[in-house]
Amino acid sequence: MKFGGTSVADAERIKRVARRIVDKREAGYQVVAVLSARGKTTDELIAMAEEVSDAPHPREMDMLLSTGERISCALCAMAINDLGHRAISLTGSQAGIMTDTSHTKARILDVRADRIKTALAEDQMVLVAGFQGVSTTSDVTTLGRGGSDTTAVALAAAVGAEECEIYSDVAGVFSADPRIVPGARKLPVVSFDEMLEMAASGAAVLQLRAVEYARNHGVRIHCRSSFDDSPGTVVLSAGETMENPLITAVTHSTAEARLTLTGVPDEPGVAADIFRALAEANVSVDMIVQNEPSSAGGRAEISFTVPREDLRVARGALEPLASRVFKDLSMQEQMGKVSIVGAGMRSHPGVAAKVFSVLGGEGINIEMISTSPIKISCVIASEHVPRAVRALHGAFGLEGPNAAEAG
Ligand code: ADP
Ligand code: ASP
Ligand code: MG
C-alpha cells in the first residue's frame, strides 16, 4: 500500500492511513506500506536548499529530501502502535533499497528485503520511507519526483506482493487530469503500453519508472482513492485488456523548457557531442528538432526540450561546447506539452490531422511535434495547455459514465 503526500498531510490523515493499514492486516493480509512526505514537504525542503545555495550539492540535497518521508513513516508507525498493533518504520536504506549513485534521480539496482521479510514474519506491519535508497557508495539517494511510487512497486516485486495499491487524492487513472477536465472519466483498466506513454507525457498519477518496473517485474498496480473504498484503475499487460480504444487519454505537462542552439556546424558527430554532454549531466531530453542549413557548408539549428527543473544543469553542460559546436544558445522557459494516447491509434490514420485541427481551431500554435505508434505530442506555450487539454478531450469524446469521481 502506497500513500501519497496528500493522504498523510496532517495528523488526522495519518491516523486514517494507520487505520486503513490495520484494516488490511485484520482482513488477513501482511502489509508493507510506503509513505510519501507530508503535503508540500518536499517542495518546502527544496526551497530551503535554494535559500542557502544557488546550486545545492546533490549529495546533500538527498540527505535533506529523504527526511520528509521518514517523518511520515515514523508518525504512522506510532499511530498503528496506538491501535494495538505492531509496526516498524524503516528508511529506504534499512529496507534494502540499493541504488546507483545519480543523486536526486537514482535508479534502483537491487532490493534486499530480508529485514522486511523478517519483520513481516514477526507479525509486524512495515512502513518504508518512499522515494529513497542507499547508493553503491553508501550515500543516501532519492529517486526523482514522484519516486515513492517506484519504491512501492520495487518492494511489491521483492516481497512477491499480490498487488501494489497506490492510494492518492484521485480515484484512479483518468482520461485527463481531473483538476483540468472535471468531466474526465475514470479508466477501470489501462494497458502497460498506454500507462507508460501517459506517465512519460505528464500524467503524474504514476511515476514513469514505477510503471516500467512493474512491467518488467510483473507487478499488478491498482491506483485508487485514499478517501474511499471504490475500485480504481488496474494496470494490465496487453493480453489482459479487452479492447483497444482509439484514444484513451489526453495528458499534459506545463513544466517543459526549450533550448535552441544556432550556428551548429553541419558535420558528422556534432549532434553526438551535444547530446552526450547532456546525457553525462543526467538530463533527459525529450523532443529534438534539427533544421538543416539551406546551403552547403552552412550551419544548422537544433532545438530540444528538457524538464524545466533541468534547465540550469543543461545549460551548464552545454556551455563548454560553445563556439566549437554552436554559436548561440537561447532558452524558452515557459513551454508545455499536450499529448493524446491510445492503443487504437496504431491502426487508424487521421488522428494526427484531427489533433492539429483542434489546436488550430483554438488558435494555439504548435511549436514541436513528436509521435510514437500510440501517442501524439505537441509542444505549445505552457499558458495554453489547460485550454488545449479540454479542447482535445472534448473533440475525441472522452467524457463518459465514470466522470466526476475525482477525489
Ligand atoms: P501523490 O502525492 O499521491 O503521489 P500525485 O500528485 O503525484 O499524488 O499524483 C496524483 C495527481 O495526478 C492528481 O491529483 C492529478 O491532479 C494528477 N493527474 C494528472 N494526470 C492524471 C490522470 N490522467 N489521472 C489521474 N490523475 C492525474
Ligand atoms: N515526496 C516526493 C515528491 O514530492 C516523492 C513522492 O511523493 O513520491 O516528489
Ligand atoms: Mg506522486
Side-chain angles (χ1 to χ4, degrees):
M1 303 172 81
K2 178 258 169 176
F3 294 90
T6 325
S7 315
V8 292
D10 56 34
E12 267 326 297
R13 289 187 184 185
I14 288 204
K15 286 196 213 166
R16 207 152 69 195
V17 165
R19 185 73 249 171
R20 193 137 189 182
I21 294 170
V22 164
D23 287 347
K24 194 68 107 183
R25 177 74 197 101
E26 289 176 345
Y29 295 94
Q30 291 182 316
V31 185
V32 179
V34 172
L35 268 47
S36 288
R38 308 172 77 191
K40 300 254 167 274
T41 301
T42 307
D43 292 332
E44 288 160 11
L45 292 171
I46 293 172
M48 282 164 74
E50 287 170 350
E51 274 169 25
V52 297
S53 167
D54 290 336
H57 192 285
R59 179 192 181 278
E60 304 311 327
M61 195 67 174
D62 278 349
M63 279 298 279
L64 178 70
L65 293 185
S66 65
T67 60
E69 341 297 283
R70 294 173 61 160
I71 293 172
S72 303
C73 284
L75 292 173
C76 192
M78 293 172 192
I80 292 178
N81 285 322
D82 281 3
L83 292 172
H85 284 263
R86 293 172 63 221
I88 179 177
S89 64
L90 300 175
T91 64
S93 164
Q94 290 173 322
I97 305 213
M98 319 302 293
T99 74
D100 66 14
T101 55
S102 358
H103 283 290
T104 74
K105 26 171 118 162
R107 281 186 171 272
I108 296 177
L109 301 175
D110 192 15
V111 180
R112 302 183 188 152
D114 317 287
R115 184 152 180 196
I116 294 181
K117 287 177 185 162
T118 307
L120 290 175
E122 290 168 353
D123 198 25
Q124 302 204 72
M125 277 155 264
V126 183
L127 299 165
V128 178
F131 167 65
Q132 58 186 273
V134 60
S135 75
T136 45
T137 52
S138 303
D139 286 313
V140 173
T141 49
T142 63
L143 309 178
R145 297 308 304 267
S148 297
D149 297 339
T150 304
T151 304
V153 169
L155 290 177
V159 301
E162 261 173 58
E163 190 168 86
C164 179
E165 296 184 321
I166 307 277
Y167 289 89
S168 73
D169 59 352
V170 277
V173 179
F174 281 69
S175 56
D177 186 341
R179 289 184 207 222
I180 292 199
V181 185
R185 185 165 51 93
K186 184 168 78 184
L187 309 168
V189 297
V190 59
S191 69
F192 271 112
D193 286 350
E194 290 174 317
M195 196 63 232
L196 283 168
E197 292 282 17
M198 288 177 68
S201 58
V205 59
L206 281 175
Q207 197 202 31
L208 175 59
R209 282 183 185 170
V211 188
E212 286 171 347
Y213 203 104
R215 187 192 50 181
N216 295 345
H217 293 81
V219 173
R220 183 182 159 91
I221 295 183
H222 183 183
C223 286
R224 51 193 309 193
S225 165
S226 60
F227 303 118
D228 63 49
D229 268 333
S230 59
T233 303
V234 179
V235 186
L236 296 174
S237 52
E240 296 172 280
T241 50
M242 281 86 45
E243 50 174 333
N244 282 340
L246 179 60
I247 304 302
T248 299
V250 179
T251 56
H252 74 279
S253 152
T254 50
E256 314 278 318
R258 179 168 62 178
L259 289 111
T260 302
L261 304 177
T262 51
V264 178
D266 190 26
E267 301 164 6
V270 168
D273 288 345
I274 293 169
F275 292 102
R276 190 184 309 116
L278 293 164
E280 280 166 3
N282 218 351
V283 173
S284 30
V285 174
D286 185 18
M287 275 189 221
I288 304 172
V289 171
Q290 171 164 333
N291 296 322
E292 291 297 322
S294 48
S295 60
R299 300 249 167 177
E301 180 183 298
I302 296 183
S303 295
F304 53 89
T305 57
V306 299
R308 191 176 304 131
E309 61 178 6
D310 286 351
L311 192 56
R312 192 188 59 224
V313 175
R315 189 172 59 180
L318 292 172
E319 268 161 2
L321 305 180
S323 81
R324 186 172 67 79
V325 171
F326 62 89
K327 268 216 192 79
D328 284 311
L329 184 163
S330 61
M331 301 188 300
Q332 272 138 317
E333 295 198 26
Q334 302 302 324
M335 302 307 291
K337 185 168 74 170
V338 58
S339 310
I340 59 166
V341 176
M345 221 186 275
R346 267 197 191 98
S347 48
H348 278 79
V351 176
K354 183 164 172 180
V355 170
F356 304 152
S357 72
V358 170
L359 296 179
E362 291 287 320
I364 296 171
N365 191 41
I366 303 172
E367 315 253 354
M368 294 164 109
I369 298 165
S370 78
T371 65
S372 85
I374 64 166
K375 183 196 71 180
I376 297 166
S377 295
C378 300
V379 170
I380 60 179
S382 66
E383 57 177 331
H384 300 321
V385 164
R387 192 154 52 86
V389 172
R390 285 191 281 265
L392 289 168
H393 195 267
F396 283 96
L398 297 182
E399 255 114 79
N402 299 325
E405 290 195 33

